[in-house]
Amino acid sequence: MATDYDEPRVKPEDEPANESLEVIRAQRSATTQSPDVDVDDTDTAEGIDLPGADLSQEELLIQVVPQQEDEFTCMSCFLVRHRSQLAREENGARYCVECEG
């Protein structure tokens, strides 16, 4: 069923129409919200990199795989794509389906 988002919303009858701000605050303070955050035991401060941190001594532990024969690099988004996503090729430059829209 289609939903008309322009139609004014109707409040359910069990919800009071004019609830004061004080009443809402009292209800919220009665059901105190927990400030607990899900933190894994393995999470440490060393896993967080601050902006501007010197990362020149860090080593990457990523294995770089060269471009395969059935892949190409899109000259618009510069992502390596599978040949099934090739939209057009022009003067040796290849473009993917997403960039060609």
Side-chain angles (χ1 to χ4, degrees):
M1 181 175 149
T3 303
D4 184 9
Y5 292 103
D6 294 329
E7 182 178 319
R9 296 184 184 166
V10 180
K11 289 187 175 183
E13 291 184 21
D14 61 338
E15 186 177 318
N18 294 328
E19 222 175 328
S20 69
L21 183 58
E22 290 78 24
V23 172
I24 295 172
R25 285 184 180 164
Q27 288 174 350
R28 286 191 179 166
S29 66
T31 59
T32 309
Q33 297 177 353
S34 171
D36 294 338
V37 177
D38 286 340
V39 178
D40 292 337
D41 292 336
T42 58
D43 286 348
T44 62
E46 292 183 19
I48 300 172
D49 293 327
L50 298 175
D54 181 21
L55 302 175
S56 61
Q57 301 300 322
E58 294 293 322
E59 291 185 29
L60 295 178
L61 303 175
I62 299 172
Q63 180 182 4
V64 178
V65 179
Q67 184 173 314
Q68 304 297 308
E69 290 181 20
D70 61 344
E71 296 175 332
F72 70 97
T73 303
C74 176
M75 290 294 118
S76 181
C77 64
F78 301 104
L79 294 176
V80 176
R81 305 278 188 166
H82 188 263
R83 67 173 177 226
S84 64
Q85 296 181 344
L86 180 66
R88 71 178 169 101
E89 184 173 353
E90 190 174 287
N91 298 332
R94 297 175 179 170
Y95 299 92
C96 69
V97 181
E98 289 184 20
C99 292
E100 290 297 304

